[in-house]
Amino acid sequence: MRIFKEPEDLKEQCRAWRAQGQSLALAPTMGYYHAGHKALISKARQLGDRLVVSLFVNPAQFGPGEDLAAYPRDFAGDCAIAEELGADALFAPTPEAMYSQRHATWVEAPELAKGLCGASRPAHFRGVCTVVLKLLMLTGADFAVFGEKDWQQLAIIRRMAADLNLPIQIESVPIVREADGLALSSRNVYLTERERAQASGIRAGLLAAKELARAGEKDASALKAATLSLWREKMPDARPDYLEIVHPETLAPLARLDGPGLMACAVYLGRARLIDNITLAEE
Ligand code: AMP
């Protein structure tokens, strides 16, 4: 596995691979790998002849007062995992290499980015779209893989790829969870023992809504009330950021579950802000 720090060096290597007729898959990450990242990287490995893993804690997607400086990092450990999973290249640029002082171009999908996580992280998806488009341009990847845990991100990237006619196939991996249901996240290290014990309540609350939906409940307020009540019981220390039922592609909020519906949430627990989602109805 070759490690690239300079965007131009990665670009040259990818161009050479493509010139040999090889297809490329990209697995974009911010590092501190857990089993969710491993699933993502393994899926990308299967898709392309060559696999590029990017490891970049993208400052542009963090807001003021967020955890950019504290974000957990383990470069040596991540390199070992990427290599073990068959990466041909690991791209780990510095922020300065990715964003020149004169950087002035941003990509955004405001309609999809205004709700859910975008409501409390207003510049987040603009940072995500911009860095993902830069990674796609640098690599010329044929495939890129994103996790369903960050559902809004996945929906926005799919929209961006379609709207801008990007020559890429976007793929996804299902959410990888701990045995008690907590979605794996690099940010789970922020949890104290007490908070970690409560954190499985997030998934339990979403499952309560899913059960109710299965039993025929269609009213979004009633479904959300079931989740919130379970959260109050299981997670006394938690502070919900949002809990919404939305259309899985347009992300438009739904008052009733008459077609496809996804319940998505973010919850503050101590220093951590944890996100999760569940499909309530497929159609
Ligand atoms: P991150 O390093 O947190 O930016 O995550 C990199 C990619 O891995 C994103 O596309 C995430 O959605 C995905 N990912 C993170 N955690 C999980 C998980 N528990 N299950 C599946 N995918 C995940």
Side-chain angles (χ1 to χ4, degrees):
M1 182 181 81
R2 287 190 59 192
I3 296 174
F4 293 88
K5 297 259 177 208
E6 291 302 325
E8 287 305 315
D9 295 342
L10 177 76
K11 200 186 211 176
E12 200 179 302
Q13 173 64 85
C14 291
R15 195 182 283 141
W17 281 331
R18 290 199 319 273
Q20 292 162 10
Q22 297 179 334
S23 65
L24 259 70
L26 172 70
T29 76
M30 299 203 299
Y32 209 68
Y33 293 155
H34 50 64
H37 294 109
K38 290 183 185 174
L40 184 96
I41 295 170
S42 302
K43 168 120 192 188
R45 174 63 287 174
Q46 291 166 8
L47 290 168
D49 297 324
R50 294 287 181 174
L51 168 60
V52 179
V53 174
S54 66
L55 197 177
F56 180 55
V57 182
N58 174 31
Q61 68 191 67
F62 287 77
E66 290 185 359
D67 59 343
L68 173 62
Y71 198 83
R73 294 165 206 243
D74 177 11
F75 185 67
D78 289 347
C79 283
I81 291 171
E83 179 148 40
E84 199 178 300
L85 295 176
D88 295 289
L90 183 92
F91 179 49
T94 60
E96 296 72 30
M98 280 300 266
Y99 297 101
S100 81
Q101 282 193 341
R102 286 186 288 178
H103 185 95
T105 307
W106 299 99
V107 188
E108 52 188 334
E111 196 54 33
L112 290 183
K114 68 183 183 193
L116 307 176
C117 286
S120 52
R121 308 187 74 192
H124 174 68
F125 291 109
R126 182 182 95 144
V128 169
C129 285
T130 304
V131 81
V132 168
L133 185 57
K134 281 164 75 70
L135 292 168
L136 299 182
M137 298 308 290
L138 282 170
T139 55
D142 303 278
F143 308 93
V145 187
F146 296 86
E148 290 170 15
K149 182 170 84 86
D150 297 76
W151 187 279
Q152 187 175 18
Q153 167 174 283
L154 175 63
I156 289 176
I157 300 288
R158 284 195 194 285
R159 193 69 254 151
M160 174 177 80
D163 289 350
L164 301 183
N165 307 100
L166 301 181
I168 184 136
Q169 190 173 318
I170 304 296
E171 294 286 342
S172 71
V173 287
I175 304 175
V176 179
R177 300 178 179 282
E178 301 280 7
D180 67 358
L182 175 64
L184 290 179
S185 163
S186 305
R187 290 188 166 102
N188 291 352
V189 294
Y190 297 152
L191 297 170
T192 63
E193 209 173 308
R194 178 185 158 93
E195 289 156 2
R196 172 64 191 84
Q198 293 184 31
S200 60
I202 298 175
R203 168 77 169 161
L206 299 183
L207 283 170
K210 178 142 187 155
E211 276 307 303
L212 209 55
R214 273 208 192 108
E217 181 62 65
K218 297 209 176 290
D219 179 54
S221 305
L223 293 164
K224 286 194 264 187
T227 304
L228 289 170
S229 133
L230 204 127
W231 281 358
R232 273 190 296 272
E233 181 196 323
K234 302 250 185 205
M235 299 195 293
D237 297 343
R239 192 165 57 83
D241 178 17
Y242 68 82
L243 174 69
E244 281 290 348
I245 298 176
V246 297
H247 186 281
E249 281 173 36
T250 67
L251 305 181
L254 302 175
R256 279 184 65 78
L257 202 58
D258 290 321
L262 178 97
M263 181 178 250
C265 67
V267 171
Y268 291 103
L269 201 48
R271 280 175 62 214
R273 180 178 175 281
L274 306 173
I275 60 171
D276 204 343
N277 65 76
I278 194 165
T279 300
L280 294 181
E282 309 265 354
E283 54 189 47

